[in-house]
Amino acid sequence: MAKTPKYVYFFGGKKAEGRTDMKNLLGGKGANLAEMINIGLPVPNGFTITTDFCTDYYAGGKKFPKVLKDQVSVALKKVEKNMGAKFGDAKNPLLLSVRSGARASMPGMMDTILNLGLNEVTVEGLIAKTNNPRFAYDSYRRFVSMYGDVVLEMKPEDKHSVDPFEEILEAKKAKKGIELDTDLTAEDLKELVAEFKAAIKKNTGKDFPEDPMEQLWGAVGAVFDSWMNERAIVYRKLNDIPAAWGTAVNIQSMVYGNMGEDSGTGVAFTRDPASGERVFYGEYLFNAQGEDVVAGTRTPHQIVELKKDSPKLYKELDDIKNILEKHYHEMLDIEFTIQQGKLWMLQCRVGKRTGFAAIKIAVDMVREKLITKEEALLRIEPDQLNQLLRPIFDTEQKEKAIKEGKLLAKGLNAGPGAASGKVAFNAVDAEIMAAKGDKVILIRIETSPEDIKGMNASEGILTAKGGMTSHAALVARQMGKVCVAGCGVLNIDYKKQTMTVEGKKLVIKKGDYVSIDGTTGEVIAGNIETKPSEVVQVLVTKELDAKKSAVYKTYKDVMNWADSARTLGVRTNADEPAQCENALAFGAEGIGLTRTEHMFFEGDRIIAIREMILADSEEGRKTALAKLLPHQRGDFEGIFKVMKGKPVTVRFLDPPLHEFLPQEAKDIKVMADTMGISVKQVKDKIASMHEINPMLGFRGCRLGTAYPEITAMQARAILEAACNVASQGIKVFPEIMIPLVSTVAELKGQEAIVREVAAQVFAEKKKKVNYLVGTMIELPRAALTANEIAEVAEFFSFGTNDLTQTTFGLSRDDAGTFLPMYVDKDILPRDPFESLDQNGVGQLVEIGTQKGRSVRENLKVGICGEHGGEPESVEFCHRTGLNYVSCSPFRVPIARLAAARAALKDPKLAVKSADKKPAKKAAVKKAVAKKPAAKKAVAEKPVAKKAAAKKNDKKAVKKNTKK
Amino acid sequence: MAKTPKYVYFFGGKKAEGRTDMKNLLGGKGANLAEMINIGLPVPNGFTITTDFCTDYYAGGKKFPKVLKDQVSVALKKVEKNMGAKFGDAKNPLLLSVRSGARASMPGMMDTILNLGLNEVTVEGLIAKTNNPRFAYDSYRRFVSMYGDVVLEMKPEDKHSVDPFEEILEAKKAKKGIELDTDLTAEDLKELVAEFKAAIKKNTGKDFPEDPMEQLWGAVGAVFDSWMNERAIVYRKLNDIPAAWGTAVNIQSMVYGNMGEDSGTGVAFTRDPASGERVFYGEYLFNAQGEDVVAGTRTPHQIVELKKDSPKLYKELDDIKNILEKHYHEMLDIEFTIQQGKLWMLQCRVGKRTGFAAIKIAVDMVREKLITKEEALLRIEPDQLNQLLRPIFDTEQKEKAIKEGKLLAKGLNAGPGAASGKVAFNAVDAEIMAAKGDKVILIRIETSPEDIKGMNASEGILTAKGGMTSHAALVARQMGKVCVAGCGVLNIDYKKQTMTVEGKKLVIKKGDYVSIDGTTGEVIAGNIETKPSEVVQVLVTKELDAKKSAVYKTYKDVMNWADSARTLGVRTNADEPAQCENALAFGAEGIGLTRTEHMFFEGDRIIAIREMILADSEEGRKTALAKLLPHQRGDFEGIFKVMKGKPVTVRFLDPPLHEFLPQEAKDIKVMADTMGISVKQVKDKIASMHEINPMLGFRGCRLGTAYPEITAMQARAILEAACNVASQGIKVFPEIMIPLVSTVAELKGQEAIVREVAAQVFAEKKKKVNYLVGTMIELPRAALTANEIAEVAEFFSFGTNDLTQTTFGLSRDDAGTFLPMYVDKDILPRDPFESLDQNGVGQLVEIGTQKGRSVRENLKVGICGEHGGEPESVEFCHRTGLNYVSCSPFRVPIARLAAARAALKDPKLAVKSADKKPAKKAAVKKAVAKKPAAKKAVAEKPVAKKAAAKKNDKKAVKKNTKK
């Protein structure tokens, strides 16, 4: 015979049948109610019907079997005994709440019934017990309408239709000439009950059920049914919650905070969810029900005021707070009710918080020895670090500006932080204005490499076109500039030097102030003050002494712990010594990508590079290249000096040559004059170089294959610089990277040139330096033939930006017209340029790594696409066994943390480290496997998509912290 | 003790030690000389030093071990005995030739020494023996200079320097006042010998070796050394011949065709190598040496004339020809010498031939029961079929035009065949001129979809830009039009309506005649008459009765045999009923790709499609789509009617929408008027749709995902057409293909729309038809996630054009600037758009097929890129287990043959068919495994790259057939 299933878990007395780690079976709410009983907190008794039953309920045609009814009956008896009241009793009635409670939090999606058990008989008992007829009838009428709405399905589906009970209530109030519900008398409420019941009879053809047990099973069924209501289904879909999980149902004694001035209710966080400060943070109201605190009709009191109002209750609550934090090792969100002087805990769960608070709380809890460093790392989402790094607007000024209607538009939050400045519509103006000391916001339809200097001179960049990985966004993030991109409602007129916004009359002219928030995407007219974050003040601008910044101390702790935990290297993408210095300050262990082409736009170099491109002969190209050589060598010397022997990966010239060509008539004239040819000849050459799909055109190593002299010049610049710097006693380690290789033959040709030049340079300089020759794997074919390529390449660096473009057949520059729609329609979970497409592009990274190492066991493999700074992608890189990720300087801390979290989650590594380092083993094990309470608390966060979860985070915090 | 290696193989007497299938050991020449001995033909006796010794020679420091010398000595004795002469003998000297002979033919790359054994003593013996002092001294002086040049390395490396012996010879002639070598007397020649020897002494410091054995080893060493000379190394590299193969050396008795009027020499083919006719074809000269036949100083006689000159010799030679063909089952290239009335065979090898001859010979030999049908198929390179299909120029007229200097340029031979016509510089003119009855050559810088109608109206298309798979080339081949593409030296001026050629004065104006040869890429001024091939006259134009065409009969036999052998299906890419009819005539078994967008350019449709694109709302799009529906439905009805139940794969709208937008001011005006909006609005919309990389942009299923109404309209047009045609009692089988899928979610969305429309249409029409919904696999991500996609897709069709573009990161439109250089530099073996890149793109085809079938076992998988008609790619598709290939109509026969050859080469299939069909088994086995002689003969073709081999084919035929 099959074992009788246990469907019902009682909680009450000294010991509950459930525990917090039984969340899958009891739902989050039920598990935590049980846990609070177990640690001795006062919780109104009750019992949970399991999620297993939910599954059986749907499988079995929505029936309640005898085994369930028997178990409910037993549990109910215990509740009656412990609470000293009897369900359906005429004199001392027990009233119940019936609530859903799934494994993952689904706030407001499912149904709830309160005050269950009231009828014409028990209402009299409640009056007798409380001596408060108005309270009793108010509870009664609320119950009847709730029951009618939810169980008897009278709530209109259309949100705009009026609830039938609401209609009756309003009629009553109108008739009485009153406005507030609270002005209704006991008699009024009693009449309402009768009218509500009549409406039920009329609407459903049935009488309102007077039998409490019938009420109970009706309510339980309705709550289970609500698991499959439209809202819940949509929510689950959005948050990737499987329907199969089911919900539990919690049946619990009612307690009332509105039984007079010795009663009350409140919500609180065990620490400040916005700042993370270790202060008891929340609100309460006397003689009120939970909804009154949230509804805003009465102004609730800060929890600290309770100390004055009732020192005893405050102490009791504060003790509970401490017990809870000590037990859960987490910052918690709690609900409580005080019924006639007795405190009851109604709910506890892990509290939502801002990124800033998340970091502070995690670090503080380590200091308080509540959690281990590893646990702390696992609690901080890497992107939350941004809140420690980005400049910020003065909050008051920004809110004021928005109130005044100065919010112009919202674009993509492409480069986080805040920036204000005067508008320039081209790079030259931006430079001129910046040289005068103005802060500049550069506004372009989209940016191109020619704008680099102007971007560098500006505080922030705003574009009308282009996505999260457009040129503007990429360069801005690398430079650490604020950027709002792809703000489609902007009309930018270069000729008139104006910007207008669709649907707005305002005209922004050159020199006007604009403020952009790259963290939110907001574009605001006027000037709003900003300041760099404290961490940046310490590390980059050096305005602030490290010792004076608590924020920096927190940051540093997190980073130190992360570095101890991670195995994945973190490098940076940087093209200039200043960027390299920043990156080192942020902890970069080398350069994963230096783009040589960015150097070509400085000063007169662009003339030389154009001369090289426009030359018709190898001779002409060589002449022009000779002019570039000293510049490039100087650049590399600067970088090598800063990097002091850390590896520096230099990529050879990559973009299509026409990107360097002049567009403006005057620049074309300059070129014609420089080269002694006609303007028409220059124009013809430019026209002849036009490409239909430049992304798939004459670029990367195809340039060096066609014109080996370009490769030779670049190799010479790098190796001469390396020798020169090494001669000064500074260590150097260049890694020369050949871009856009599709077949090993290309690489072989380029490598041969580099080796030949190296031999020449070393002979000339009488100096040798160690260097590597490797390649970017950025085309599917390169990944697929990585075993051939690794015969020549000494390292691989996955260029996942281009690899994503080719694997998806998706142009980063053009995808803006449909990619957002793809993410909206859930065709793609995320923008694949933002977060590595592990299922598709990731396969090529895996194939490439594995095939490469199949012929060169210790092949160094990294990633240098934008994904190198995106936490999920970083974790993927760790799992795939890469040696390092490389990202823009300001994302280095984020990548370090993400790498640490990946290592902590890595079961292989846990075993490995267990073998090697017994000390660490304990910590890791503790973090990953042990501490069920703590671990489960962490898992409390909805098992939803990160993006959605984050949105909810914000909303939840907002809702719960209304001040 | 190690076994003594056998280095020397004697051939002579009745039985040689070697055989024709020992080519790897004895080289081609040695093996065939041995084989001729074995079948009783008269061959001057000799012996072969093996390729194994060559390897040992290089490994052992170029020494001749005793074991070799002993074996040579034994073999030499046999030769002396059989030939009745003695090496070095004063009275009856045996003279030898020493020649190289590698496994693969390397014509002229290595060295040869003739008349070896002559010295001051033996020359007297030769005089006595022949009674011909002039002959003896002529042979002697030739030997000394050859020995000096080759063995003593006196031949100048620089081709332009004068050979020292040549210098002496010229001085002698000048002194004597004569012009021809033949005017030199015996005495003159004797003096020359002395002068040559003096030059050798002066130059090398050593005497010319008088000892015949020293001569012999010197010559053998020199020939082995020549395996590593510069020319040979380059040739091997070009033809992928491994250096490790080594060469054999053949030492053979000399025979002389210049011993008087009863002597002679000749070369011949056993059949006509140009036409394939079964006629003995060749040339001979009496009293001459081999070089005299080739050199052109005397006019040789046709071999048939020998019948008159010497009926006995002719019969002997003709018998030998028949023995050889019967033995080798091949058309052979032979060399012979008649010495004093005795016929000697000097060489036989498989003869090079034109494609036309290859086909005719193969088919004839089947009819003659010399070979099986399967062997015949394996002997015809599929591309050779082109020579049966393409129109051709009148040879005399073309040669005349070229002689007159009318050859303007050479471009890419993009669409084979020949066409003449009046020049039009735009599609509209082409149509107008064609409507007047003119034959038109459309000349464009490059073509676009807008030119389709003009291309269709033209005989041929000539472009200045674009490669083998440019729009012009693709469409031309599909239409069966002649096309010369990418002819960069042309300057086309649309405004002036003229074309000039770089470096030429001629100006071609609209209406002038131009002729283009799409088989050779030639562009010729003026009109040259053309005619369609006989096969096309039978199948397509129906001008010729099948029974009256022998060529057609040959074609039909090959095709019938191919169809019996192949397992791979062959479909066609066709967009119009007329194309479908052609394709069926060529044997297509269905349509693998119908592009709906080509239909959009006809008549007023383009206005409607532009209206759809420019519409700002779903409503507007629907209105425009409603106008397109009847057109599309009509198109599909036409196709379904022709295809009569054969599968028709229709691809939904694929190209970026901006390809359809008007560019010309007047067209823009039309759109503005049609839509009742301003010209500026139309222009703005067009500008807003510009894409940087349209290939990777808003196209394919991205269109239908953004605008589901486009998908719905197209599904409706296809399914309504299918129902309508089915209602007429004609079978239909549409396969609806969703393009450019990168993730299964896209496909799911599109499939749902198709299914919904299908249900509606079937309900409306009260008719159901079978149909499939599948997808193109044309992005790496689709191949990598094919297991997910196959959950939805009922079939896959690999779009290898786009798959090549994305896998390589290579734009077909832009690659022209560097791809030819890549092929030239051997970075890529072939243009990957021409022949599928099996190593890279092929991996994705394999992965996609395997992953797709892992979830849908019987998934139908095809290929519809241009590669579907390229023989090597077709063979790849067979090996990969695809169900079919699809190609342009005129390539269908080529694909059928390629598929047959793939099946015949497939060992799995040989076993399978052996299991099932014992009758066929024998044939296949025969073709593949048995018949060593025949098989080896086939393998005689250089194991070189096909392209190089083909070039050599042409050259060789030309050289050998000089008339």
Side-chain angles (χ1 to χ4, degrees), chain A residues 630-654:
Chain A
H631 293 299
Q632 288 238 306
R633 187 177 51 221
D635 290 333
F636 294 130
E637 284 171 359
I639 290 173
F640 290 140
K641 278 181 196 166
V642 171
M643 295 307 292
K644 293 190 181 63
K646 291 197 165 69
V648 175
T649 307
V650 183
R651 181 179 71 184
F652 278 168
L653 187 65
D654 181 56

mmCIF file of all heavy atoms in Angstrom, chain A residues 630-654:
data_model
loop_
_atom_site.group_PDB
_atom_site.id
_atom_site.type_symbol
_atom_site.label_atom_id
_atom_site.label_comp_id
_atom_site.label_asym_id
_atom_site.label_seq_id
_atom_site.Cartn_x
_atom_site.Cartn_y
_atom_site.Cartn_z
ATOM 1 N N PRO A 630 57.033 56.453 -36.040
ATOM 2 C CA PRO A 630 57.459 57.047 -34.756
ATOM 3 C C PRO A 630 56.285 57.332 -33.818
ATOM 4 O O PRO A 630 56.401 57.167 -32.608
ATOM 5 C CB PRO A 630 58.177 58.331 -35.172
ATOM 6 C CG PRO A 630 57.869 58.544 -36.615
ATOM 7 C CD PRO A 630 57.469 57.244 -37.203
ATOM 8 N N HIS A 631 55.146 57.740 -34.394
ATOM 9 C CA HIS A 631 53.970 57.996 -33.552
ATOM 10 C C HIS A 631 53.546 56.715 -32.844
ATOM 11 O O HIS A 631 53.327 56.700 -31.640
ATOM 12 C CB HIS A 631 52.796 58.484 -34.407
ATOM 13 C CG HIS A 631 53.012 59.833 -35.012
ATOM 14 N ND1 HIS A 631 53.209 60.957 -34.254
ATOM 15 C CD2 HIS A 631 53.047 60.245 -36.297
ATOM 16 C CE1 HIS A 631 53.369 62.007 -35.044
ATOM 17 N NE2 HIS A 631 53.282 61.603 -36.303
ATOM 18 N N GLN A 632 53.394 55.651 -33.633
ATOM 19 C CA GLN A 632 52.931 54.390 -33.043
ATOM 20 C C GLN A 632 53.928 53.905 -31.988
ATOM 21 O O GLN A 632 53.542 53.486 -30.911
ATOM 22 C CB GLN A 632 52.766 53.335 -34.132
ATOM 23 C CG GLN A 632 51.567 53.609 -35.015
ATOM 24 C CD GLN A 632 50.582 52.447 -35.028
ATOM 25 O OE1 GLN A 632 50.946 51.329 -35.305
ATOM 26 N NE2 GLN A 632 49.341 52.725 -34.721
ATOM 27 N N ARG A 633 55.201 53.991 -32.330
ATOM 28 C CA ARG A 633 56.216 53.524 -31.385
ATOM 29 C C ARG A 633 56.101 54.300 -30.076
ATOM 30 O O ARG A 633 56.127 53.723 -28.994
ATOM 31 C CB ARG A 633 57.595 53.707 -32.004
ATOM 32 C CG ARG A 633 58.717 53.096 -31.180
ATOM 33 C CD ARG A 633 60.050 53.263 -31.907
ATOM 34 N NE ARG A 633 60.244 54.643 -32.296
ATOM 35 C CZ ARG A 633 60.750 55.034 -33.477
ATOM 36 N NH1 ARG A 633 61.107 54.146 -34.379
ATOM 37 N NH2 ARG A 633 60.886 56.309 -33.748
ATOM 38 N N GLY A 634 55.913 55.615 -30.208
ATOM 39 C CA GLY A 634 55.760 56.444 -29.012
ATOM 40 C C GLY A 634 54.562 56.027 -28.178
ATOM 41 O O GLY A 634 54.625 55.940 -26.953
ATOM 42 N N ASP A 635 53.450 55.752 -28.857
ATOM 43 C CA ASP A 635 52.247 55.320 -28.143
ATOM 44 C C ASP A 635 52.517 54.042 -27.357
ATOM 45 O O ASP A 635 52.148 53.917 -26.181
ATOM 46 C CB ASP A 635 51.116 55.046 -29.149
ATOM 47 C CG ASP A 635 50.600 56.327 -29.795
ATOM 48 O OD1 ASP A 635 50.718 57.395 -29.155
ATOM 49 O OD2 ASP A 635 50.076 56.249 -30.914
ATOM 50 N N PHE A 636 53.152 53.104 -28.019
ATOM 51 C CA PHE A 636 53.386 51.821 -27.361
ATOM 52 C C PHE A 636 54.371 51.971 -26.202
ATOM 53 O O PHE A 636 54.224 51.331 -25.168
ATOM 54 C CB PHE A 636 53.884 50.781 -28.368
ATOM 55 C CG PHE A 636 52.843 50.424 -29.398
ATOM 56 C CD1 PHE A 636 53.129 50.436 -30.757
ATOM 57 C CD2 PHE A 636 51.555 50.079 -29.005
ATOM 58 C CE1 PHE A 636 52.176 50.118 -31.701
ATOM 59 C CE2 PHE A 636 50.586 49.761 -29.952
ATOM 60 C CZ PHE A 636 50.890 49.784 -31.306
ATOM 61 N N GLU A 637 55.344 52.823 -26.397
ATOM 62 C CA GLU A 637 56.280 53.062 -25.291
ATOM 63 C C GLU A 637 55.531 53.550 -24.056
ATOM 64 O O GLU A 637 55.755 53.080 -22.949
ATOM 65 C CB GLU A 637 57.347 54.082 -25.704
ATOM 66 C CG GLU A 637 58.420 53.488 -26.620
ATOM 67 C CD GLU A 637 59.364 54.530 -27.230
ATOM 68 O OE1 GLU A 637 59.168 55.746 -26.944
ATOM 69 O OE2 GLU A 637 60.257 54.144 -27.976
ATOM 70 N N GLY A 638 54.617 54.488 -24.301
ATOM 71 C CA GLY A 638 53.817 55.015 -23.193
ATOM 72 C C GLY A 638 53.058 53.906 -22.484
ATOM 73 O O GLY A 638 53.035 53.833 -21.249
ATOM 74 N N ILE A 639 52.455 53.048 -23.264
ATOM 75 C CA ILE A 639 51.649 51.968 -22.673
ATOM 76 C C ILE A 639 52.529 50.964 -21.932
ATOM 77 O O ILE A 639 52.243 50.566 -20.801
ATOM 78 C CB ILE A 639 50.822 51.277 -23.775
ATOM 79 C CG1 ILE A 639 49.725 52.233 -24.255
ATOM 80 C CG2 ILE A 639 50.221 49.974 -23.273
ATOM 81 C CD1 ILE A 639 48.952 51.743 -25.457
ATOM 82 N N PHE A 640 53.625 50.568 -22.561
ATOM 83 C CA PHE A 640 54.505 49.582 -21.919
ATOM 84 C C PHE A 640 55.047 50.109 -20.589
ATOM 85 O O PHE A 640 55.188 49.366 -19.628
ATOM 86 C CB PHE A 640 55.672 49.213 -22.844
ATOM 87 C CG PHE A 640 55.260 48.399 -24.049
ATOM 88 C CD1 PHE A 640 55.826 48.628 -25.296
ATOM 89 C CD2 PHE A 640 54.309 47.388 -23.933
ATOM 90 C CE1 PHE A 640 55.461 47.876 -26.406
ATOM 91 C CE2 PHE A 640 53.932 46.624 -25.044
ATOM 92 C CZ PHE A 640 54.507 46.880 -26.283
ATOM 93 N N LYS A 641 55.353 51.410 -20.584
ATOM 94 C CA LYS A 641 55.881 51.989 -19.347
ATOM 95 C C LYS A 641 54.873 51.880 -18.221
ATOM 96 O O LYS A 641 55.215 51.578 -17.084
ATOM 97 C CB LYS A 641 56.260 53.459 -19.568
ATOM 98 C CG LYS A 641 57.632 53.626 -20.220
ATOM 99 C CD LYS A 641 57.969 55.104 -20.380
ATOM 100 C CE LYS A 641 59.123 55.272 -21.352
ATOM 101 N NZ LYS A 641 59.256 56.681 -21.777
ATOM 102 N N VAL A 642 53.628 52.180 -18.532
ATOM 103 C CA VAL A 642 52.590 52.106 -17.500
ATOM 104 C C VAL A 642 52.375 50.664 -17.055
ATOM 105 O O VAL A 642 52.191 50.384 -15.869
ATOM 106 C CB VAL A 642 51.262 52.697 -18.030
ATOM 107 C CG1 VAL A 642 50.131 52.430 -17.039
ATOM 108 C CG2 VAL A 642 51.415 54.189 -18.267
ATOM 109 N N MET A 643 52.397 49.745 -18.005
ATOM 110 C CA MET A 643 51.985 48.364 -17.700
ATOM 111 C C MET A 643 53.093 47.550 -17.032
ATOM 112 O O MET A 643 52.833 46.470 -16.510
ATOM 113 C CB MET A 643 51.493 47.659 -18.967
ATOM 114 C CG MET A 643 50.226 48.266 -19.556
ATOM 115 S SD MET A 643 48.844 48.436 -18.377
ATOM 116 C CE MET A 643 48.441 46.712 -18.083
ATOM 117 N N LYS A 644 54.320 48.039 -17.069
ATOM 118 C CA LYS A 644 55.440 47.436 -16.321
ATOM 119 C C LYS A 644 55.485 45.907 -16.368
ATOM 120 O O LYS A 644 55.463 45.239 -15.331
ATOM 121 C CB LYS A 644 55.378 47.866 -14.852
ATOM 122 C CG LYS A 644 55.632 49.352 -14.637
ATOM 123 C CD LYS A 644 55.801 49.661 -13.168
ATOM 124 C CE LYS A 644 56.021 51.129 -12.925
ATOM 125 N NZ LYS A 644 54.857 51.973 -13.344
ATOM 126 N N GLY A 645 55.538 45.365 -17.551
ATOM 127 C CA GLY A 645 55.735 43.923 -17.684
ATOM 128 C C GLY A 645 54.461 43.101 -17.663
ATOM 129 O O GLY A 645 54.490 41.901 -17.925
ATOM 130 N N LYS A 646 53.329 43.740 -17.327
ATOM 131 C CA LYS A 646 52.071 43.015 -17.460
ATOM 132 C C LYS A 646 51.807 42.809 -18.956
ATOM 133 O O LYS A 646 52.189 43.644 -19.773
ATOM 134 C CB LYS A 646 50.928 43.809 -16.828
ATOM 135 C CG LYS A 646 51.010 43.899 -15.313
ATOM 136 C CD LYS A 646 49.673 44.314 -14.718
ATOM 137 C CE LYS A 646 49.612 44.063 -13.237
ATOM 138 N NZ LYS A 646 50.495 44.935 -12.458
ATOM 139 N N PRO A 647 51.160 41.716 -19.303
ATOM 140 C CA PRO A 647 50.968 41.467 -20.744
ATOM 141 C C PRO A 647 50.133 42.557 -21.415
ATOM 142 O O PRO A 647 49.160 43.032 -20.839
ATOM 143 C CB PRO A 647 50.250 40.114 -20.778
ATOM 144 C CG PRO A 647 49.685 39.925 -19.408
ATOM 145 C CD PRO A 647 50.596 40.655 -18.472
ATOM 146 N N VAL A 648 50.555 42.931 -22.607
ATOM 147 C CA VAL A 648 49.844 43.950 -23.387
ATOM 148 C C VAL A 648 49.529 43.363 -24.765
ATOM 149 O O VAL A 648 50.426 43.130 -25.562
ATOM 150 C CB VAL A 648 50.701 45.216 -23.560
ATOM 151 C CG1 VAL A 648 50.005 46.219 -24.476
ATOM 152 C CG2 VAL A 648 51.004 45.853 -22.208
ATOM 153 N N THR A 649 48.264 43.079 -24.993
ATOM 154 C CA THR A 649 47.863 42.522 -26.280
ATOM 155 C C THR A 649 47.551 43.658 -27.241
ATOM 156 O O THR A 649 46.649 44.455 -26.986
ATOM 157 C CB THR A 649 46.621 41.634 -26.110
ATOM 158 O OG1 THR A 649 46.878 40.679 -25.085
ATOM 159 C CG2 THR A 649 46.289 40.915 -27.409
ATOM 160 N N VAL A 650 48.315 43.728 -28.311
ATOM 161 C CA VAL A 650 48.105 44.788 -29.301
ATOM 162 C C VAL A 650 47.505 44.175 -30.557
ATOM 163 O O VAL A 650 48.044 43.225 -31.115
ATOM 164 C CB VAL A 650 49.429 45.467 -29.677
ATOM 165 C CG1 VAL A 650 49.161 46.621 -30.647
ATOM 166 C CG2 VAL A 650 50.148 45.970 -28.440
ATOM 167 N N ARG A 651 46.364 44.694 -30.931
ATOM 168 C CA ARG A 651 45.742 44.200 -32.162
ATOM 169 C C ARG A 651 46.191 45.056 -33.332
ATOM 170 O O ARG A 651 46.158 46.271 -33.257
ATOM 171 C CB ARG A 651 44.214 44.272 -32.042
ATOM 172 C CG ARG A 651 43.515 43.753 -33.283
ATOM 173 C CD ARG A 651 42.014 43.800 -33.140
ATOM 174 N NE ARG A 651 41.530 45.165 -33.173
ATOM 175 C CZ ARG A 651 40.246 45.493 -32.999
ATOM 176 N NH1 ARG A 651 39.358 44.559 -32.756
ATOM 177 N NH2 ARG A 651 39.874 46.743 -33.048
ATOM 178 N N PHE A 652 46.564 44.402 -34.412
ATOM 179 C CA PHE A 652 46.930 45.135 -35.622
ATOM 180 C C PHE A 652 45.693 45.814 -36.204
ATOM 181 O O PHE A 652 44.556 45.416 -35.924
ATOM 182 C CB PHE A 652 47.525 44.177 -36.657
ATOM 183 C CG PHE A 652 48.989 43.877 -36.423
ATOM 184 C CD1 PHE A 652 49.622 42.853 -37.113
ATOM 185 C CD2 PHE A 652 49.739 44.611 -35.517
ATOM 186 C CE1 PHE A 652 50.964 42.568 -36.915
ATOM 187 C CE2 PHE A 652 51.087 44.342 -35.307
ATOM 188 C CZ PHE A 652 51.696 43.312 -36.007
ATOM 189 N N LEU A 653 45.979 46.779 -37.045
ATOM 190 C CA LEU A 653 44.944 47.559 -37.725
ATOM 191 C C LEU A 653 43.768 46.673 -38.162
ATOM 192 O O LEU A 653 43.962 45.697 -38.874
ATOM 193 C CB LEU A 653 45.572 48.220 -38.954
ATOM 194 C CG LEU A 653 44.696 49.218 -39.696
ATOM 195 C CD1 LEU A 653 44.409 50.419 -38.808
ATOM 196 C CD2 LEU A 653 45.379 49.670 -40.974
ATOM 197 N N ASP A 654 42.571 47.052 -37.756
ATOM 198 C CA ASP A 654 41.424 46.178 -37.993
ATOM 199 C C ASP A 654 40.321 46.762 -38.872
ATOM 200 O O ASP A 654 39.783 46.067 -39.717
ATOM 201 C CB ASP A 654 40.844 45.753 -36.641
ATOM 202 C CG ASP A 654 39.654 44.831 -36.784
ATOM 203 O OD1 ASP A 654 39.804 43.785 -37.437
ATOM 204 O OD2 ASP A 654 38.575 45.163 -36.281
#
